[in-house]
Amino acid sequence: MARTTDEIGLAAELWSPLLKQRFETLFAVASRKSLRGWRQVPLVSAQVLVVDGSLPVPEAAGWLPCVVYVGGVPQGQHLERTPQRLATYLDLDFTLSDLIDMLDRAAVFLMDWTVRQQVASSQTLVRALDDLRQQAEGCRYQFRLKAWVALPAPWNSAESLRALAMLCRGPMDVATLCEHSGMAPAAVAELLRRRPGLRVRLTVGKSDDLERALLDGSLDLAVVPSYPGHATRCAQVVIGEDELWAAARPRHPLFQLALEQGLRFGHLQGYSWALPAPGAAVRKVVDEAFAAQGLGAPTVALEIQHNTEATIDIVGQTDLLCYVPSHVLRSNPERLQSLPIPELRTRRSWLLISHPKAHWSPLMSALRDLTLG
């Protein structure tokens, strides 16, 4: 079969350094030999998710069309192939040939799945909106936007903006959408019906990469966090604030220590962390806090890109520490609690940034106004 030119996005959530290295080494070869083009992408852009089969299943495995478990016990992984989902397995000692075969099977499945989605999408949306009108927050469907949309008044309120942002992140049920956006189910239904043809490209990346893209003209606008002492070469508007906290599972030994004798910064030294790679803004904040106490850099056992559902699951079942925004703590009280370490309580701003000499198009102005509420 001739190789097609379109590339398939694959996200690998593998926490073992050896397994991650093995996969990436073989994938670099297998991706060129498969019948479709492949590339590794962030989870939000992926069609295929590769996970460690010995760890808790991440939330994304429930909504991506194709999931590959590496290692673990196949009997407990709900392996299946249906018209809507492919869940398959790779042995922990998989070979290059095994990986190529898996990529080919996933590619064939996704070709069929894409065609079915195109045929069924309009019919499914009609059924979903009917169910939403009848059941309100009890609606059994989840909704997702593939790209950001611009809406006219009265749908350019702060509540609508929050709802759109949530819908762009991933499949969202109506109850969660209403709870976090502040919109009533009837308003959500009306918002979902308004699907203008005007769309823009949404890029997810690190702050430094987004800033460079703005300055070289690849992007028009970006929303990025700003930490104390942070400077940007871009024009900026402050659109919000939040806090970051050191956190651990509720039954972590540090909480018992805090009750018995009070918790001090030095007590953190005996534990490893789940943190981004060196150079990331959050990592710099934690490293600088340790340095300010006269301590060496924290030990990082789990290097992450973002605080994904899989990361929270792992931290919630181990003695690892993490550094997360306050909204993550509010959403996961049964898995994470903040540690009473004031030196690691950081308030940050969220900025809407643009090129200093940008020409503001009507769409850019509309997005700015929506963001500012």
Side-chain angles (χ1 to χ4, degrees):
M1 182 181 292
R3 176 183 171 126
T4 60
T5 56
D6 293 339
E7 289 184 321
I8 300 173
L10 176 146
E13 301 269 325
L14 301 171
W15 304 118
S16 162
L18 291 177
L19 181 57
K20 182 178 180 181
Q21 181 181 15
R22 177 181 179 80
F23 178 84
E24 290 181 349
T25 300
L26 294 181
F27 179 78
V29 179
S31 61
R32 298 194 301 268
K33 294 181 176 291
S34 175
L35 61 92
R36 287 285 300 272
W38 290 83
R39 63 189 177 98
Q40 285 195 255
V41 298
L43 182 58
V44 70
S45 304
Q47 290 179 287
V48 177
L49 174 63
V50 179
V51 296
D52 189 331
S54 63
L55 296 176
V57 179
E59 182 182 15
W63 50 264
L64 282 174
C66 187
V67 181
V68 181
Y69 298 93
V70 183
V73 182
Q75 291 82 354
Q77 294 168 351
H78 306 291
L79 305 182
E80 62 179 349
R81 176 165 182 159
T82 69
Q84 297 301 323
R85 186 171 188 266
L86 173 65
T88 188
Y89 174 83
L90 269 179
D91 189 81
L92 199 58
D93 297 320
F94 64 91
T95 64
L96 175 61
S97 178
D98 294 333
L99 186 54
I100 294 172
D101 179 66
M102 183 277 290
L103 294 179
D104 284 349
R105 284 186 287 115
V108 171
F109 168 80
L110 287 170
M111 289 178 193
D112 293 338
W113 179 85
T114 301
V115 172
R116 286 192 296 271
Q117 291 295 107
Q118 291 171 346
V119 172
S121 60
S122 60
Q123 298 174 350
T124 301
L125 181 60
V126 170
R127 290 197 299 270
L129 292 176
D130 285 341
D131 190 66
L132 175 56
R133 282 191 293 269
Q134 296 172 22
Q135 303 297 330
E137 293 188 26
C139 176
R140 60 193 174 91
Y141 288 90
Q142 291 185 322
F143 298 87
R144 183 184 190 185
L145 282 177
K146 293 183 178 179
W148 190 274
V149 295
L151 297 175
W155 303 102
N156 55 0
S157 64
E159 291 83 0
S160 295
L161 178 65
R162 284 195 292 270
L164 289 172
M166 293 172 67
L167 288 164
C168 283
R169 290 180 61 187
M172 193 66 55
D173 63 79
V174 176
T176 302
L177 194 61
C178 293
E179 177 185 355
H180 293 284
S181 70
M183 297 183 71
V188 171
E190 185 62 25
L191 176 67
L192 290 169
R193 287 192 197 96
R194 294 173 173 264
R195 295 175 293 144
L198 183 61
R199 294 189 174 186
V200 299
R201 180 169 58 92
L202 178 66
T203 300
V204 178
K206 295 181 179 179
S207 300
D208 291 346
D209 295 335
L210 295 176
E211 183 172 328
R212 281 192 291 269
L214 280 171
L215 293 172
D216 69 20
S218 302
L219 289 179
D220 293 318
L221 294 170
V223 176
V224 298
S226 176
Y227 298 86
H230 173 268
T232 175
R233 294 172 290 169
C234 297
Q236 61 182 274
V237 177
V238 178
I239 60 173
E241 291 184 333
D242 66 359
E243 287 185 335
L244 290 152
W245 294 78
R249 63 185 177 93
R251 297 178 66 85
H252 196 284
L254 286 175
F255 289 110
Q256 184 62 36
L257 186 63
L259 290 174
E260 294 174 353
Q261 63 184 71
L263 193 62
R264 299 190 305 275
F265 198 106
H267 292 143
L268 305 181
Q269 277 192 295
Y271 296 93
S272 297
W273 290 71
L275 288 172
V282 168
R283 179 70 172 270
K284 289 179 182 177
V285 170
V286 177
D287 287 350
E288 289 170 1
F290 270 73
Q293 299 296 314
L295 303 175
T299 300
V300 177
L302 181 61
E303 194 170 280
I304 62 175
Q305 288 188 324
H306 305 286
N307 288 300
T308 62
E309 187 71 18
T311 302
I312 296 170
D313 272 341
I314 292 171
V315 173
Q317 299 179 55
T318 66
D319 284 342
L320 288 176
L321 307 180
C322 62
Y323 198 52
V324 295
S326 51
H327 73 83
V328 173
L329 294 172
R330 290 194 299 269
S331 302
N332 299 276
E334 75 289 350
R335 292 186 289 177
L336 291 178
Q337 288 186 9
S338 60
L339 291 164
I341 302 290
E343 296 88 349
L344 281 172
R345 178 182 177 181
T346 302
R347 192 160 190 84
R348 65 180 179 181
S349 300
W350 283 94
L351 308 177
L352 179 69
I353 60 175
S354 59
H355 193 286
K357 298 181 180 179
H359 170 72
W360 282 75
S361 67
L363 178 57
M364 291 171 62
S365 299
L367 179 58
R368 178 196 57 203
D369 296 342
L370 280 169
T371 306
L372 294 174

